[in-house]
Amino acid sequence: MSWEVVIGLEIHAQLATKSKIFSGASTAFGAEPNTQACAVDLGLPGVLPVMNAQAVEMAVKFALATDAQIGRTSVFARKNYFYPDLPKGYQISQMALPIVGEGSVTVAQTDGTEKEVGLTRAHLEEDAGKSVHDQFNDATGVDLNRAGTPLLEIVSEPDMRSSAEAVAYARHIHSLVRYIDICDGNMQEGSFRCDANVSIREKGDTELGTRTEIKNVNSFRFLERAIEFEIERQIDVLESGGTVVQETRLYDADKDETRSMRSKEEANDYRYFPDPDLPPLVVDVTFIESIRATLPELPHVRKARFIEDLGLPTDDAVALTADKRVADFFEATLDDSFKPRKAANWMTGELFARMNKEEVSLSEVPVSAEQVKGMLIRMEDGTISAKIAKQVFDELWAGAESADAVIEAKGLKQISDSGAIETMIDEVLAANPGQVEEYRGGKDKLMSFFVGQVMRASKGKANPAQLNDILKKKLDG
Amino acid sequence: MSADLHTLTLAQMHSALQAGDVSSRELVDHSLKRIEATNPDLNAILQVDVEGAQASADAADASRSAGNAGPLTGIPMAHKDIFCTKRLNTTCGSRMLENFAAPYNATVVDRLNEAGMVMVGKANMDEFAMGSSNENSYFGSVGNPWNKEYVPGGSSGGSAAAVAARMVPAATATDTGGSIRQPAAFCGITGIKPTYGRVSRYGMIAFASSLDQGGVVAATAEDCAMMLHAMSGFDERDSTSADVEVPNFAAGLNESIKGLTIGLPEEYFGDGLEAAVGDAVQAGIKELEALGANVKSISLPNQHLCIPAYYVVAPAEASSNLSRFDGVRFGHRCEDPKDLEDLYKRSRGEGFGPEVIRRIMIGTYTLSAGYYDAYYKKAQQIRRLISDDFDKAFESVDVVLGPTTPSPAFKRGAKTDDPVSMYLNDLYTVSANLSGLPGLSMPCGFVNDMPVGMQLVGRAFDESRILAVAHQFQQATDWHQKMPATV
């Protein structure tokens, strides 16, 4: 039998506000337990929630970036359940009227095609605290630092048909929320978490199969594996004559499997009702337009511009627009004296390799776009070769002021005086008569030996093109 | 000064202080003595703060000497124990919060502190403000100062009894379905529940958030006006508080009621109303007519839906509001819980009294999947109808008037086994909560030696009007000056 996979994602993006969604406590990660929880976060008697305007701005920003409808009047609702890390005994969320309605995103697939994924809605809600099970003998600790942290829950339509599509969509949203600066995207710290709804059906069926929900997957690799496992499991169940049970499942990365957490029958009745402590949230046109004015050029628009106006290859354009800071850095390195493609090549090659090696993000790179621009100009005008540029970049990384200063101080200016290069070549050829004979006898590979010798003699500064040219003439005579 | 200091109204105390006839310290010490002498019989005050009150009184005297006294400076008062106070515990009448020391003051507490009022203690109340007789307090029931065999009403029974017994000239109170007006009526004093949103709910422990509103009980409308003015106003910590101007309520009290139209809902004078109470209210109406007011019969056709709607909405919100009392972070925790479920069940089972548990059960049921539309949603639609009835009435009348309660205070224990008959005490009061409108109760007579109250309901944010009507009435009558024999 041939099966079709149907996947929808619910993504919880932690909004990068300074304070919590309904209180003034800080949202910074990693503080001592319970030091960033005020009376409101602790759910003390008599305290009341007050909406954080910054969280509303960020939700509207997301709506504008995904061409989504904006809920001009949205309503907060209480989701009631008991759990020790849920201080009030209810979570303030949005149910019937979310702040972000239907929208869509166009997701680039790994095979180079694009796919449109529908967004059902996105709503504001508060995060719960954390239960700590492994630090106290026979007891569970509760850390409420995270309680009240603003989340935007982004719900997709069941539009994905493979784990690869699901991951591409998740990556797209991950990139987008960072791009518009509403979420830091840190998956280790839980700032970006995915729940996947997975079902399968016979190809050609129009009805959806029974779905399972895989909770709280915190890396793209795990997301892919969890979905893969779940697809296989459901196929096995159906092909052996069973039925898929609607339930919540957890992905265990160590065992690479999903397992049942609770079934629909055991699910809580959350007794949603509008939160009487918070009036309906109304956003007007003036507010929306003021947010629109702060919206950066969106990644897909910028990517198209890089390809069409700057002449970048698609791969480079994709790589350079995934992160806004990278794209901004790239554009700041550009100069009329060289083609944008040169800077793109250098960034996707040299810079990214160095960042990987040092395990740093762009914001931690100690070299400015202005410094890189200076170096690229010198590469273009022939003052330094690509090889010497690596040395210059090392010096910039180590704190040097500018490419020109490094070139000057270290005497790295490329030797483009053909007389000087010729002299060095003559010396090398004179010192290696045997190799010259072998070369002329047909051992072409020795060419690189001579190039290396001359380069060494020039301390790497000989203009490589000139060197090759002159050397070839001399040897081939 | 004389031994009768406690018989002064709040306004009279202010005059005496201004004239230099008495110091705040004397008033406060006298109030503390009154509590010591009369509270053992009544149980109206749960905790007294002698040291704090004396220090605040001395500070008030000092600021008066420095020329910085306002109308409330140095006057003793009590807070209903639902308002969080940094000094003294805040119990909400519950075992659950027996040892709860709030790390913050309610906005109302801060504002009255800033106005210079001196808190002498915290007043008893029905547990979590759920009750109409003050018999649901974990810390014991409260006696009515007119006859301690009778209930003082609830849930603000401690506040009302403390004022009626003249332990304090005024007290804060809260009203979710009548909890200010009904005890004011039962105790022969004046009480006002302002418009929803007029007074901040921050630090006022929530019962039913969309209905709860803080207010005042005092001997006179004038006293209520003075204190309400200091309590009112927008608070950025309460998103439901209204950002509307607060008029100086006391300044408008002398506005004549000549030509004013008073609406008498026929539904308030029909079945369920005890005849003698109706007679006392009719006599009050005659007084108002004599003062120049016109009366007009009106109809609030959805009045019969008020109690059912209220007893869906209030328990629903309460069931959620009281979820935070789970034994995890504060409040009562059972001994040796064997697991999480045991911790929840026993902590809550032991910490809450039977009426609170009953309402949590009702509220949990009405919000359940499959019942929400039939109960909660329907009740919210009824609220709209009730509001519309008032809107329509206010097209042709300036205030709505009727009895505050169907009958005067009943004997302690008389209704404790019959929740529904207890709930019917709220028959005429809940509509003001469901519609958010301001309501006031003032004394208008006696039935079998127990006081009877008359209720005024005004337009939204038009507290000035009902306070003025009450003040004019009190200028012409002396019901508000009657005091229990023990005073």
Side-chain angles (χ1 to χ4, degrees):
Chain A
M1 196 174 291
S2 182
W3 299 100
E4 183 178 46
V5 177
V6 177
I7 303 164
L9 295 188
E10 289 169 21
I11 292 173
H12 288 87
Q14 189 182 104
L15 296 176
T17 55
K18 289 190 186 68
S19 58
K20 293 188 176 176
I21 186 165
F22 300 121
S23 85
S26 167
T27 53
F29 179 82
E32 283 294 300
N34 298 310
T35 56
Q36 286 179 176
C38 68
V40 173
D41 308 319
L42 294 173
L44 290 183
V47 298
L48 296 168
V50 177
M51 186 69 224
N52 179 338
Q54 210 188 357
V56 179
E57 289 169 18
M58 289 177 170
V60 169
K61 216 170 173 183
F62 180 81
L64 293 170
T66 53
D67 279 330
Q69 292 167 5
I70 295 171
R72 299 288 294 277
T73 298
S74 63
V75 171
F76 287 95
R78 293 185 184 178
K79 179 179 179 178
N80 294 283
Y81 65 98
F82 285 95
Y83 205 68
D85 59 24
L86 186 73
K88 297 186 294 296
Y90 58 84
Q91 178 194 30
I92 304 177
S93 180
Q94 296 190 307
M95 186 61 179
L97 295 169
I99 185 160
V100 182
E102 281 179 31
S104 73
V105 287
T106 304
V107 180
Q109 305 296 312
T110 43
D111 64 3
T113 62
E114 287 187 332
K115 181 180 173 98
E116 184 160 309
V117 176
L119 299 178
T120 314
R121 59 184 280 161
H123 63 257
L124 286 165
E125 64 183 25
E126 59 179 341
D127 208 344
K130 262 184 196 158
S131 292
V132 182
H133 297 292
D134 53 0
Q135 287 180 24
F136 311 95
N137 290 334
D138 299 329
T140 294
V142 175
D143 177 4
L144 295 175
N145 282 354
R146 201 182 65 183
T149 299
L151 299 177
L152 187 66
E153 180 174 333
I154 304 158
V155 182
S156 83
E157 289 289 302
D159 284 349
M160 278 74 74
R161 294 289 173 270
S162 68
S163 61
E165 285 187 11
V167 170
Y169 163 77
R171 284 187 185 279
H172 181 94
I173 296 293
H174 184 248
S175 163
L176 180 66
V177 293
R178 284 180 304 149
Y179 209 91
I180 61 176
D181 212 16
I182 65 170
C183 172
D184 69 15
N186 190 321
M187 296 178 85
Q188 273 82 47
E189 293 176 4
S191 304
F192 190 90
R193 317 192 283 268
C194 302
D195 300 343
N197 286 298
V198 179
S199 65
I200 57 172
R201 62 182 171 192
E202 273 182 57
K203 267 223 166 79
D205 273 4
T206 48
E207 298 273 303
L208 290 172
T210 305
R211 69 188 158 89
T212 59
E213 182 178 15
I214 312 167
K215 278 274 184 203
N216 269 338
V217 187
N218 66 353
S219 87
F220 296 123
R221 195 167 62 90
F222 291 164
L223 179 64
E224 182 156 21
R225 302 192 71 126
I227 293 171
E228 282 299 324
F229 177 89
E230 191 53 24
I231 292 168
E232 290 305 314
R233 191 189 67 83
Q234 291 187 16
I235 290 174
D236 281 353
V237 167
L238 292 182
E239 290 189 344
S240 60
T243 48
V244 173
V245 179
Q246 185 174 340
E247 61 183 355
T248 303
R249 298 180 70 86
L250 267 186
Y251 177 67
D252 182 334
D254 295 331
K255 293 183 181 156
D256 189 25
E257 62 176 32
T258 67
R259 61 168 180 270
S260 182
M261 203 171 138
R262 57 173 181 262
S263 72
K264 192 188 174 192
E265 285 69 35
E266 301 164 57
N268 277 306
D269 175 358
Y270 291 120
R271 289 172 282 121
Y272 278 100
F273 74 106
D275 190 337
D277 288 333
L278 291 162
L281 176 65
V282 177
V283 293
D284 60 23
V285 177
T286 319
F287 179 80
I288 294 168
E289 290 312 311
S290 73
I291 302 301
R292 197 191 300 278
T294 68
L295 208 64
E297 184 185 17
L298 294 172
H300 66 277
V301 178
R302 206 168 192 182
K303 185 183 80 184
R305 180 166 62 83
F306 282 7
I307 294 167
E308 282 154 32
D309 297 358
L310 302 183
L312 300 194
T314 305
D315 285 357
D316 283 359
V318 169
L320 291 172
T321 52
D323 181 327
K324 180 169 180 294
R325 277 169 305 191
V326 171
D328 290 346
F329 190 98
F330 163 70
E331 293 210 70
T333 65
L334 298 183
D335 187 80
D336 289 342
S337 68
F338 55 84
K339 286 197 168 119
R341 193 165 178 161
K342 186 178 181 87
N345 272 337
W346 184 84
M347 275 189 67
T348 54
E350 297 299 322
L351 181 63
F352 286 2
R354 183 65 183 263
M355 283 162 57
N356 275 336
K357 189 177 150 226
E358 308 272 346
E359 293 181 337
V360 295
S361 68
L362 188 68
S363 57
E364 297 161 299
V365 168
V367 183
S368 71
E370 195 57 32
Q371 289 172 313
V372 170
K373 183 203 273 196
M375 187 184 76
L376 292 169
I377 291 170
R378 291 295 164 251
M379 285 168 75
E380 181 69 19
D381 70 13
T383 307
I384 54 172
S385 64
K387 191 162 178 221
I388 292 292
K390 287 182 206 279
Q391 202 182 330
V392 171
F393 185 55
D394 281 345
E395 295 295 330
L396 291 173
W397 193 285
E401 194 192 320
S402 67
D404 284 347
V406 174
I407 294 164
E408 177 67 31
K410 302 261 167 182
L412 298 177
K413 190 173 185 323
Q414 185 162 262
I415 300 166
S416 301
D417 172 349
S418 55
I421 294 171
E422 204 173 334
T423 308
M424 284 187 276
I425 289 171
D426 288 343
E427 283 168 14
V428 167
L429 297 184
N432 299 284
Q435 280 86 345
V436 173
E437 196 135 329
E438 281 180 58
Y439 177 86
R440 288 190 174 138
K443 207 169 175 188
D444 289 356
K445 281 180 184 165
L446 278 169
M447 186 68 182
S448 59
F449 165 78
F450 294 116
V451 171
Q453 291 295 311
V454 180
M455 264 300 177
R456 184 181 298 169
S458 76
K459 298 200 173 75
K461 293 183 288 183
N463 182 317
Q466 280 181 296
L467 165 61
N468 269 306
D469 213 33
I470 298 167
L471 184 63
K472 212 163 169 44
K473 272 186 205 147
K474 292 247 172 205
L475 284 168
D476 297 347
Chain B
M1 281 297 287
S2 74
D4 294 338
L5 270 183
H6 58 276
T7 62
L8 299 180
T9 65
L10 188 156
Q12 288 165 342
M13 286 185 186
H14 170 63
S15 302
L17 285 164
Q18 284 297 82
D21 295 341
V22 69
S23 70
S24 171
R25 180 60 186 265
E26 286 172 278
L27 285 176
V28 166
D29 281 340
H30 189 80
S31 169
L32 291 167
K33 260 187 234 144
R34 279 291 299 169
I35 294 171
E36 206 178 310
T38 59
N39 196 52
D41 254 4
L42 298 175
N43 196 30
I45 300 290
L46 293 174
Q47 303 164 82
V48 173
D49 182 13
V50 175
E51 206 178 296
Q54 289 178 338
S56 302
D58 291 344
D61 284 329
S63 60
R64 187 175 303 280
S65 304
N68 295 326
L72 300 175
T73 302
I75 294 172
M77 57 82 63
H79 279 297
K80 183 177 181 178
D81 209 13
I82 198 170
F83 289 100
C84 288
T85 49
K86 283 198 246 183
R87 296 191 66 91
L88 303 179
N89 284 348
T90 300
T91 68
C92 221
S94 180
R95 182 185 185 195
M96 183 60 84
L97 293 177
E98 189 172 8
N99 300 306
F100 178 66
Y104 42 81
N105 281 333
T107 297
V108 161
V109 173
D110 274 341
R111 288 191 175 169
L112 291 175
N113 282 349
E114 281 156 26
M117 279 201 112
V118 178
M119 177 186 79
V120 293
K122 305 282 294 273
N124 204 343
M125 56 182 284
D126 279 305
E127 184 179 8
F128 286 102
M130 297 176 189
S132 304
S133 67
N134 218 118
E135 292 169 290
N136 297 334
S137 170
Y138 175 68
F139 304 101
S141 60
V142 174
N144 188 317
W146 291 90
N147 182 341
K148 65 180 185 180
E149 299 303 311
Y150 284 70
V151 302
S155 67
S156 309
S159 297
V163 170
R166 301 305 195 265
M167 298 182 202
V168 284
T172 55
T174 62
D175 190 316
T176 304
S179 283
I180 288 176
R181 292 159 287 158
Q182 185 252 19
F186 280 15
C187 291
I189 58 170
T190 309
I192 182 167
K193 175 204 92 77
T195 313
Y196 184 81
R198 182 62 102 180
V199 169
S200 168
R201 293 188 296 115
Y202 185 85
M204 192 178 104
I205 298 175
F207 159 16
S209 312
S210 72
L211 303 163
D212 295 344
Q213 186 58 204
V216 198
V217 288
T220 67
E222 183 183 20
D223 292 358
C224 286
M226 290 170 72
M227 209 161 122
L228 184 62
H229 182 250
M231 292 163 63
S232 297
F234 175 68
D235 178 9
E236 60 179 15
R237 293 183 296 182
D238 174 4
S239 309
T240 63
S241 77
D243 197 358
V244 292
E245 201 196 334
V246 180
N248 185 348
F249 301 124
L253 291 173
N254 289 316
E255 203 156 297
S256 164
I257 61 167
K258 271 203 178 70
L260 193 84
T261 305
I262 295 173
L264 307 175
E266 54 197 45
E267 294 82 4
Y268 282 20
F269 294 90
D271 285 350
L273 177 65
E274 204 172 289
V277 173
D279 292 345
V281 174
Q282 291 297 349
I285 294 166
K286 290 277 177 308
E287 285 289 347
L288 290 166
E289 284 185 296
L291 290 167
N294 305 314
V295 298
K296 187 182 167 191
S297 180
I298 57 165
S299 176
L300 299 172
N302 293 291
Q303 160 66 17
H304 64 291
L305 298 174
C306 284
I307 292 281
Y310 175 82
Y311 278 96
V312 169
V313 173
E317 292 182 9
S319 71
S320 176
N321 282 333
L322 269 57
S323 294
R324 68 188 62 200
F325 304 105
D326 57 5
V328 174
R329 298 165 313 286
F330 53 80
H332 178 75
R333 178 187 285 189
C334 67
E335 296 279 339
D336 301 322
K338 66 174 198 290
D339 56 26
L340 184 60
E341 188 161 317
D342 186 42
L343 169 78
Y344 284 149
K345 284 185 172 166
R346 282 200 291 129
S347 299
R348 288 167 67 78
E350 295 162 5
F352 292 139
E355 183 61 28
V356 172
I357 289 174
R358 176 163 28 244
R359 298 202 197 187
I360 290 173
M361 297 295 287
I362 294 171
T364 303
Y365 177 80
T366 57
L367 288 176
S368 306
Y371 296 98
Y372 177 87
D373 285 354
Y375 292 105
Y376 190 79
K377 200 172 165 192
K378 183 67 84 184
Q380 291 292 11
Q381 289 164 348
I382 292 172
R383 278 181 88 163
R384 185 71 254 160
L385 295 178
I386 291 162
S387 281
D388 291 347
D389 284 356
F390 275 107
D391 285 349
K392 190 156 181 299
F394 283 122
E395 285 172 10
S396 62
V397 302
D398 299 301
V399 296
V400 170
L401 184 148
T404 307
T405 58
S407 55
F410 45 90
K411 277 199 161 163
R412 290 162 86 161
K415 298 188 178 184
T416 40
D417 295 331
D418 186 356
V420 172
S421 114
M422 191 72 97
Y423 295 171
L424 287 172
N425 269 284
D426 301 334
L427 191 58
Y428 306 130
T429 46
V430 293
S431 56
N433 301 85
L434 291 168
S435 58
L437 299 173
L440 175 150
S441 177
M442 58 179 171
C444 68
F446 287 83
V447 170
N448 299 329
D449 299 327
M450 294 306 284
V452 169
M454 185 160 80
Q455 179 179 228
L456 298 166
V457 176
R459 296 189 179 96
F461 299 103
D462 196 15
E463 291 86 358
S464 297
R465 181 63 60 85
I466 55 175
L467 284 164
V469 173
H471 182 69
Q472 293 302 308
F473 180 79
Q474 292 179 341
Q475 295 307 102
T477 59
D478 64 354
W479 301 114
H480 62 290
Q481 290 170 356
K482 307 271 188 214
M483 295 183 212
T486 50
V487 177

